Amino acid sequence: MNDTAAPQPRSYPEQQETDLLDLLGILRRRKGLIALGLFMGVAAAVLYYVLTPPTFRAEMEILVGQKSGDLVKGANSSSSVEGVDTEEDVLSTHIQLLTSRRILKAAIEKHDLDEIRSVVEAVESDDNETPLTYILDNLAVTKGGDGVARDAHTLKATYDDPSPSDCALILRAIFDEYKNYLDDHFAGTSTQAVELLTQLSEETAQEVRDAERKLAEHLAGSQVMWDGEKTRNIHKERLEKIEDDLHELTEQEAESASRLKVISDFLASKDASEITDVDRFSLLSEKEVNRLKLMIEMTRGDVASEAFQADQPIRQATAQAEYDEYLTLVMKEKKLREKFSDGHPQIVSLREQIEMMRKFIDNNSSKIQARDAQERITPAEMLQTYVGLLKNDVMGLQRQRQVLQTRSEQELKLAKQLEQAEVQAESMRRDLERRQAIFDDTQSTLKELNFVRDYAGFSTDVIGDAESQERPAWPLPLIVLALGVFAGGLLGLGMGLLADLMDTTFVDPDDVQKTLGAPVLAHVPRFDPIKRKRKDPPFEIDSSIRVYHQPRTPAAEVFRVLRTGLLVEARKNGHQVIQVTSPLPGDGKSTTSVNLAMAFAQTGKRTLIVDADLRKPRVARLLHLTGESGFSEALQDLCDPTDVVQSTVNDNLFAVSAGAIPANPSELLQSYRFSQLINVWRDKFDFIIVDTPTVLAVSDAAVVSEEMDNVLLAVRIIKNGRKAAIRATDILQRSGSEVGAIIVNGYQSKDKSYGYTGGYDADAYGYGYGESHKAYYGDKAPSRNLQSVS
């Protein structure tokens, strides 16, 4: 049984998309169809050029720009007029305007375009044609220039007409109406805009004057202050200052009251006899002690004692420090006067301290110079004195707070009275500013619009006028010919592709290998039988056995190459029994089998060729075998296997003819006797070549392949197509065999009496028989009865 490796997946025709892209191969194979397509394209181009009446073209180039682009405030290259962008949108708008029915109707009416001969002829030849539709169909407008000037801000208008003078006339008329429309439209728009802005300016000026008068009257009738930029409420400002003073005064009062509470609670908690001088002094800070000392010394005249004189240098230094403190108080008063009024509580309190300090300094100075100080004050007197001082401070601060609160209530009441007037004045001021801004903008715009009124809108300058052309614009011979060649090439290529797609013939051996998934070991060229002269002796074997008759020819060399490949395969996988078959009759399988067997024999290998085609055998005729017994008799066990083996012209080549044609060849080939015969001959020969019927004609080849080591499939490119070869390969695979190699056979057999038609069922991988297949089973059955072997 064939034990070759499974072939690669095949590519069916509907899957071979890459084959359709083999344009070079198609051009080579279908050059006739492509040439026909080119001829038809050129013929059509010539016919079109001869039959098409000439058409002339008038061209006009228009430069489109915005006149006010650099003059209007804020204008630039991308500014807009009436919502139209002056870049791409402007050109698109002008194209639409130039081809609009309004412009065309005006041109037809004012320039009598409907009376031009070419227009009249077109309208008369077509009932559905009107002058407007005819002109519109032949008018074309594009934007930009040519080449590097493709982004130019220009329009190119063209008009085609059979008459060169008429096309130029019609195009100029259309442009004149287009330009008149632009001039009238933008001139009217500018005049209307100036009138509206002038009226708006006068109304806005009157509103500004009214707003100024109302604001002045309101300020004169109220107590609201005006500093030139905004309103001021003086009572609100005073109220803010009083609130600041109250806050500071409250903090001082709280501080004095807390100190008084601490000292009073301490004195009340203990008996006077239990309080020591240290306890009393611990209640006072250094600042408080200095303040008490100053006040007590001011109330006593103790400046003449010896102790005072002894402390005189210290007292002088103290006096200097007190003078420095006096100066500090004076500077502080000066700074407060810059911030507050003279009646401010802090300023009043500071002035009292300054006055007391000044008197103290004067008195202390006289005491230091006149006499010694009296005896020192005791700690008890000092503490008692400071308690009284704190009480006086608290009472004074409370009275000051009451005064400030009264003033705050008064200022609050007055500030609220002015608040409504202030809000109204501020609203009137903002309204005045808004109206003034509107008036200023209106005046500025009006001045600029008056300045550029004559330059508003778009400029449409003709940089290339429409002129009558002497040479027609269409048809152009070179362009028509190029289009014809191009269309004809496409047509020819399309016909080539279609023919190549519908053709089921193999293109080349590579195509066979890709499609069937098996290697192509040989490509046998087409050759004719050798002709024998009458005086020459008859051939020992058929002249188609080129390996024997002409061993040095290319055809014989091909079979030797095939032999070499099979020898390598045999050494590698032990293939000894080789089946040769083909998809359909006429593929040259029998000739290939005998040539291959002869090639093996020429190497010294004992080779046996078995004609297993029990329907239309050819091996005996090719090798000129004699004898009546053959393969069919051996299968029926009517003779010994060695008796049917015959010698040939080569000492190493032996053959077994088909013998008598049996009535049941498929059953004989499927019997156990067939396997026995093959095994018997395996031991006696190096190679066995088995020639079998075609795969698609009968089932014999599929039955025999089960006992083969290798299967060779002979395919004729010229005759057979992909479909037959693919079906033959699938049949062998269903029987458990694989095609080991392919032989591409170019030999065209002239023997028309073979008997196969190659018919088979296209919808299932079965076997079918044509009319000539009846020769295997019908009226031509052998006259000699053969024993059937099951």
Side-chain angles (χ1 to χ4, degrees):
M1 182 177 180
N2 186 6
D3 57 355
T4 57
Q8 299 177 355
R10 294 188 303 274
S11 299
Y12 289 90
E14 61 273 12
Q15 298 171 344
Q16 295 179 341
E17 297 178 358
T18 56
D19 293 342
L20 297 179
L21 300 179
D22 185 13
L23 296 180
L24 294 178
I26 294 174
L27 291 175
R28 183 180 67 254
R29 297 187 299 272
R30 310 298 176 183
K31 54 182 177 293
L33 289 176
I34 295 176
L36 176 62
L38 288 174
F39 174 76
M40 294 174 62
V42 172
V46 173
L47 186 64
Y48 175 82
Y49 181 78
V50 172
L51 298 179
T52 302
T55 301
F56 296 86
R57 172 173 294 179
E59 295 184 356
M60 178 179 290
E61 291 184 315
I62 307 169
L63 177 64
V64 178
Q66 185 178 351
K67 293 181 180 180
S68 58
D70 297 329
L71 298 176
V72 179
K73 179 180 179 181
N76 50 47
S77 61
S78 61
S79 60
S80 60
V81 175
E82 293 191 346
V84 180
D85 188 0
T86 58
E87 295 295 342
E88 296 297 330
D89 291 344
V90 163
L91 294 180
S92 300
T93 302
H94 281 262
I95 290 175
Q96 185 67 26
L97 180 62
L98 193 56
T99 58
S100 64
R101 292 178 175 269
R102 175 176 178 176
I103 299 298
L104 297 182
K105 285 181 179 179
I108 292 172
E109 294 175 358
K110 294 183 180 180
H111 298 271
D112 298 329
L113 300 183
D114 53 348
E115 298 179 0
I116 294 178
R117 180 176 56 84
S118 59
V119 178
V120 173
E121 292 177 354
V123 173
E124 290 177 353
S125 61
D126 189 353
D127 296 338
N128 297 325
E129 194 77 79
T130 64
L132 176 62
T133 57
Y134 176 75
I135 294 175
L136 184 61
D137 292 340
N138 291 276
L139 177 65
V141 183
T142 58
K143 55 185 175 182
D146 298 327
V148 295
R150 60 181 178 274
D151 296 329
H153 215 63
T154 59
L155 296 179
K156 179 183 287 186
T158 60
Y159 185 81
D160 298 335
D161 196 88
S163 173
S165 58
D166 291 348
C167 62
L169 177 63
I170 293 174
L171 190 58
R172 290 195 191 100
I174 295 173
F175 174 77
D176 291 342
E177 291 307 314
Y178 157 74
K179 185 173 178 58
N180 292 336
Y181 172 81
L182 290 179
D183 294 340
D184 295 342
H185 177 73
F186 286 104
T189 302
S190 300
T191 302
Q192 185 179 6
V194 170
E195 294 176 355
L196 291 176
L197 284 175
T198 301
Q199 181 180 357
L200 178 61
S201 177
E202 294 175 355
E203 294 176 355
T204 306
Q206 183 61 40
E207 291 177 355
V208 170
R209 290 192 292 269
D210 294 343
E212 290 177 344
R213 177 179 54 77
K214 291 180 180 179
L215 178 60
E217 292 176 354
H218 178 74
L219 293 175
S222 64
Q223 297 181 359
V224 177
M225 304 297 294
W226 176 260
D227 60 359
E229 296 182 355
K230 62 180 180 178
T231 58
R232 292 180 56 195
N233 190 333
I234 190 65
H235 296 290
K236 184 184 294 185
E237 295 177 358
R238 291 176 182 176
L239 178 62
E240 293 174 355
K241 293 180 180 179
I242 292 174
E243 291 298 328
D244 293 340
D245 294 342
L246 277 173
H247 178 71
E248 183 176 356
L249 190 65
T250 302
E251 291 182 351
Q252 294 178 1
E253 180 183 355
E255 181 180 1
S256 298
S258 62
R259 291 294 297 157
L260 177 62
K261 184 74 168 63
V262 170
I263 297 174
S264 299
D265 291 345
F266 178 78
L267 295 177
S269 62
K270 293 185 179 182
D271 188 75
S273 60
E274 296 177 356
I275 302 174
T276 62
D277 292 342
V278 176
D279 294 335
R280 292 186 178 94
F281 278 116
S282 64
L283 293 175
L284 301 176
S285 64
E286 182 180 358
K287 179 179 179 181
E288 293 171 340
V289 171
N290 291 332
R291 182 183 180 189
L292 285 172
K293 185 177 180 182
L294 177 62
M295 294 184 65
I296 292 175
E297 289 178 351
M298 290 176 63
T299 57
R300 294 186 178 184
D302 301 336
V303 295
S305 62
E306 294 180 358
F308 182 83
Q309 293 296 330
D311 295 335
Q312 186 68 8
I314 299 175
R315 295 182 182 277
Q316 289 178 352
T318 303
Q320 182 64 36
E322 291 172 349
Y323 182 73
D324 292 341
E325 184 179 357
Y326 172 76
L327 292 178
T328 302
L329 293 174
V330 171
M331 295 301 296
K332 185 176 181 181
E333 180 214 7
K334 182 178 181 181
K335 291 182 179 180
L336 288 176
R337 289 179 62 186
E338 293 177 356
K339 183 177 181 181
F340 304 107
S341 60
D342 292 340
H344 194 273
Q346 289 187 8
I347 297 177
V348 173
S349 176
L350 193 59
R351 286 178 176 176
E352 292 177 356
Q353 294 181 24
I354 293 172
E355 183 64 23
M356 292 177 62
M357 182 62 71
R358 187 179 61 78
K359 291 180 180 180
F360 173 75
I361 292 173
D362 293 340
N363 188 25
N364 192 34
S365 175
S366 62
K367 287 182 180 181
I368 293 174
Q369 297 176 0
R371 59 189 181 87
D372 294 337
Q374 297 180 356
E375 61 181 9
R376 316 178 42 230
I377 186 172
T378 63
E381 291 176 336
M382 182 179 295
L383 186 60
Q384 191 65 34
T385 301
Y386 186 71
V387 170
L389 182 60
L390 287 175
K391 291 180 179 180
N392 291 332
D393 288 346
V394 171
M395 292 177 62
L397 291 172
Q398 289 176 351
R399 285 196 296 271
Q400 291 179 13
R401 181 160 54 80
Q402 291 175 357
V403 172
L404 290 177
Q405 288 177 347
T406 301
R407 291 180 59 191
S408 174
E409 293 174 356
Q410 294 174 354
E411 294 295 336
L412 178 62
K413 183 177 180 181
L414 295 175
K416 288 184 176 181
Q417 292 176 356
L418 288 181
E419 187 174 18
Q420 185 175 1
E422 182 183 13
V423 171
Q424 185 176 359
E426 185 65 21
S427 175
M428 297 174 67
R429 181 189 66 80
R430 289 194 297 268
D431 181 65
L432 174 61
E433 291 178 351
R434 287 194 299 269
R435 297 183 183 278
Q436 184 65 44
I438 295 174
F439 176 75
D440 294 340
D441 291 342
T442 304
Q443 288 295 312
S444 177
T445 305
L446 184 60
K447 290 178 181 179
E448 294 169 349
L449 188 60
N450 283 324
F451 179 71
V452 301
R453 179 188 301 181
D454 295 333
Y455 301 94
F458 293 94
S459 65
T460 53
D461 299 327
V462 177
I463 59 178
D465 196 7
E467 297 179 357
S468 301
Q469 302 293 327
E470 296 180 358
R471 300 178 61 182
W474 188 258
L476 298 177
L478 292 179
I479 296 179
V480 172
L481 181 60
L483 291 175
V485 171
F486 178 74
L490 289 180
L491 176 62
L493 185 60
M495 291 189 299
L497 285 173
L498 182 61
D500 202 72
L501 182 63
M502 297 178 63
D503 188 6
T504 60
T505 301
F506 286 115
V507 177
D508 50 32
D510 290 337
D511 190 12
V512 177
Q513 181 169 313
K514 292 178 182 178
T515 304
L516 302 183
V520 175
L521 295 186
H523 182 194
V524 180
R526 180 188 181 94
F527 59 86
D528 296 326
I530 302 173
K531 294 182 179 180
R532 184 178 63 86
K533 298 179 180 180
R534 293 183 180 180
K535 62 180 180 178
D536 293 337
F539 293 128
E540 297 179 299
I541 58 176
D542 193 80
S543 63
S544 62
I545 312 304
R546 292 300 177 93
V547 176
Y548 177 78
H549 291 289
Q550 296 178 340
R552 297 184 180 276
T553 59
E557 184 62 30
V558 169
F559 289 108
R560 285 195 288 270
V561 171
L562 175 60
R563 175 196 64 192
T564 301
L566 294 175
L567 286 174
V568 174
E569 187 70 19
R571 286 194 296 267
K572 185 185 301 182
N573 299 319
H575 291 170
Q576 183 181 2
V577 182
I578 302 172
Q579 177 185 358
V580 179
T581 185
S582 63
L584 293 173
D587 290 329
K589 64 174 184 61
S590 297
T591 305
T592 300
S593 301
V594 177
N595 275 281
L596 180 59
M598 183 64 72
F600 273 114
Q602 288 176 349
T603 62
K605 303 291 185 181
R606 286 178 55 84
T607 306
L608 175 66
I609 180 168
V610 178
D611 193 350
D613 189 348
L614 302 182
R615 302 174 187 273
K616 284 294 182 180
R618 292 197 62 200
V619 173
R621 190 180 68 177
L622 293 174
L623 292 176
H624 295 181
L625 299 179
T626 60
E628 297 182 356
S629 298
F631 189 49
S632 63
E633 285 78 14
L635 286 175
Q636 298 176 82
D637 202 13
L638 299 178
C639 61
D640 190 85
T642 58
D643 295 339
V644 297
V645 177
Q646 301 182 45
S647 60
T648 64
V649 294
N650 189 295
D651 295 338
N652 294 317
L653 178 61
F654 300 89
V656 176
S657 64
I661 304 223
N664 52 348
S666 296
E667 288 76 6
L668 290 177
L669 294 174
Q670 202 168 7
S671 66
Y672 180 70
R673 180 63 176 170
F674 175 75
S675 177
Q676 287 180 333
L677 290 175
I678 295 299
N679 291 332
V680 169
W681 291 329
R682 279 179 187 270
D683 298 334
K684 297 181 179 297
F685 299 97
D686 297 324
F687 287 96
I688 302 174
I689 307 299
V690 180
D691 182 30
T692 61
T694 56
V695 178
L696 297 182
V698 291
S699 63
D700 298 358
V703 172
V704 171
S705 65
E706 298 179 4
E707 299 296 335
M708 300 295 104
D709 297 338
N710 198 357
V711 178
L712 301 184
L713 187 66
V715 178
R716 187 178 299 278
I717 291 180
I718 297 175
K719 180 178 180 181
N720 294 332
R722 291 184 181 88
K723 192 171 183 180
I726 291 172
R727 290 294 178 89
T729 305
D730 286 343
I731 289 173
L732 293 174
Q733 288 179 344
R734 284 172 172 261
S735 65
S737 303
E738 298 289 348
V739 176
I742 299 172
I743 302 171
V744 178
N745 201 337
Y747 179 76
Q748 179 65 45
S749 176
K750 297 182 180 180
D751 186 0
K752 304 300 183 180
S753 61
Y754 190 85
Y756 303 148
T757 64
Y760 56 89
D761 187 1
D763 297 329
Y765 295 118
Y767 306 100
Y769 307 98
E771 292 297 328
S772 59
H773 295 168
K774 298 178 181 179
Y776 290 108
Y777 301 101
D779 299 335
K780 296 182 180 181
S783 58
R784 180 170 54 89
N785 293 330
L786 299 178
Q787 182 179 353
S788 176
V789 180
S790 59

